[in-house]
Amino acid sequence: MSQNDLLEKLKDIAGESQVRTDEPMSSHTTFRIGGTADYFVMPSSVEELQAIIRLLKKSDMNYYVIGNGSNLLVGDKGFRGVIIQLSDAFDKVEYIDDVTVKAMSGMKLSRLGNRLSDKGLAGFEFAIGIPGTIGGAVRMNAGAYGGEIKDIIVSAEVLDQNGDIHTLGKDELELGYRTSSIMKYGYIVVSATLKLSKGNTDEIKENIKELSQKRRMKQPLEYPSAGSTFKRPEGYFAGKLIMDAGLRGYLVGEAQVSEKHCGFVINRGNATAADVRTLMQNVADIVEEKFGVRLEPEVKMIGEF
């Protein structure tokens, strides 16, 4: 299939206004870094998403699905293929009973958390400050402040690589530390059903406020970043290892190990993807040399560097 044919077919499925070419990925990642994607598509329904996946499978085209673009580093030379963004049309929540909700994958965790607190539903407070969407959170079993997605999830609807929908129960999701069957099999999260508990709206909002203040004090939220840069090695904390290795404030170009929290790599303004990648490799090498522990990236890298 020629590139022109592909473009026309994508427009037929999603509509002309929802398909872009040579889209700068720096506009769609929390790092504010990244070259252009050949094609950028924003489906408006699950059916459109299915049709896009089936088209791309048939045409053997490389693709990657994003939500908020957190936890993601896109290479400076961009992404050869199609970026599918699940955002506005995948931003709905349905109340199934008093404590059970079904949230679409494009919904931001902060937005969902505030909606749940308004309803007096507790148990989601830990996730509110994580800068991602439900889809990414389920895929990675996101967690913070003693809570994680696996504590509250009932099931998830996913698309497989043929564009078929499956409902996976909690056990089938195989949720572990920053891992899941979704990651293992290349599924796309469509929605997640969560079970919360009844709470007092004022107390929930107070809890959210306290956690937000904690984050602001401890994390470099004033700079673009992808959140925690490295996974937590068993028995250690990545940020402490980096600090103990003397790397607080370590710079490569405009990428820097945050002085506020060494577990974060920040973009000081004009960092390139190459700066970030080099910094991450250097940090991992120095920590391993000093402490015999290899840091694994939590940030996903895609595209050409």
Side-chain angles (χ1 to χ4, degrees):
M1 189 184 296
S2 74
Q3 290 198 331
N4 217 29
D5 283 349
L6 179 67
L7 182 59
E8 290 313 309
K9 283 193 160 69
L10 288 171
K11 286 179 178 175
D12 285 346
I13 293 167
E16 195 149 345
S17 65
Q18 301 301 99
V19 183
R20 301 174 190 169
T21 55
D22 299 323
E23 180 71 6
M25 289 306 294
S26 54
S27 305
H28 301 285
T29 63
T30 57
F31 247 141
R32 299 284 169 255
I33 293 173
T36 59
D38 291 345
Y39 306 96
F40 189 89
V41 193
M42 297 162 282
S44 300
S45 66
V46 176
E47 292 72 27
E48 283 184 11
L49 175 61
Q50 287 178 287
I52 291 164
I53 295 301
R54 286 170 180 152
L55 170 68
L56 298 179
K57 181 171 185 179
K58 201 165 71 180
S59 55
D60 207 23
M61 175 62 75
N62 190 27
Y63 67 87
Y64 192 78
V65 180
I66 67 167
N68 195 39
S70 55
N71 223 42
L72 185 65
L73 181 65
V74 182
D76 300 311
K77 294 176 187 162
F79 184 80
R80 306 288 70 81
V82 181
I83 295 287
I84 302 167
Q85 186 182 46
L86 304 183
S87 53
D88 299 355
F90 289 76
D91 180 31
K92 297 178 183 73
V93 61
E94 183 189 330
Y95 299 91
I96 293 168
D97 62 30
D98 284 1
V99 292
T100 313
V101 302
K102 182 178 176 180
M104 296 287 281
S105 60
M107 194 163 208
K108 286 186 182 167
L109 300 175
S110 53
R111 183 166 146 80
L112 177 59
N114 288 320
R115 294 275 288 275
L116 296 175
S117 69
D118 288 342
K119 292 268 184 186
L121 290 171
F124 197 77
E125 296 91 316
F126 75 88
I128 286 190
I130 299 171
T133 57
I134 277 289
V138 173
R139 185 175 183 270
M140 288 193 68
N141 185 28
Y145 297 115
E148 51 188 349
I149 290 295
K150 79 170 183 187
D151 300 336
I152 53 173
I153 197 160
V154 176
S155 63
E157 281 185 316
V158 302
L159 278 195
D160 65 20
Q161 292 180 354
N162 297 315
D164 297 326
I165 290 192
H166 306 270
T167 301
L168 302 181
K170 184 174 178 169
D171 291 345
E172 294 169 292
L173 288 166
E174 296 171 29
L175 298 168
Y177 175 65
R178 303 296 176 265
T179 184
S180 66
S181 63
I182 291 156
M183 215 179 254
K184 192 156 73 174
Y185 299 118
Y187 294 151
I188 299 166
V189 179
V190 173
S191 70
T193 299
L194 309 172
K195 188 166 187 177
L196 302 145
S197 54
K198 285 276 199 187
N200 175 292
T201 295
D202 293 340
E203 284 173 16
I204 295 165
K205 286 186 184 289
E206 189 54 39
N207 191 8
I208 289 169
K209 200 169 138 190
E210 281 173 24
L211 290 178
S212 297
Q213 281 170 346
K214 233 185 227 182
R215 274 181 196 278
R216 276 198 300 277
M217 278 168 57
K218 294 185 173 177
Q219 297 179 8
L221 304 181
E222 61 276 24
Y223 288 101
S225 81
S228 293
T229 308
F230 296 99
K231 292 178 184 173
R232 188 178 66 237
E234 210 167 317
Y236 299 90
F237 290 100
K240 184 164 181 357
L241 286 170
I242 294 165
M243 185 172 70
D244 292 348
L247 293 168
R248 182 194 288 274
Y250 175 67
L251 272 164
V252 173
E254 287 271 277
Q256 184 179 35
V257 172
S258 167
E259 294 178 275
K260 200 171 186 182
H261 188 318
C262 292
F264 285 64
V265 172
I266 58 172
N267 174 3
R268 288 183 56 86
N270 295 301
T272 64
D275 289 342
V276 174
R277 189 169 73 161
T278 301
L279 183 146
M280 286 172 66
Q281 284 170 340
N282 292 354
V283 165
D285 290 344
I286 293 165
V287 166
E288 187 173 30
E289 196 181 298
K290 291 206 171 190
F291 304 113
V293 180
R294 186 74 192 174
L295 294 177
E296 298 292 332
E298 187 169 313
V299 174
K300 171 84 177 162
M301 299 188 202
I302 66 167
E304 298 179 350
F305 278 78

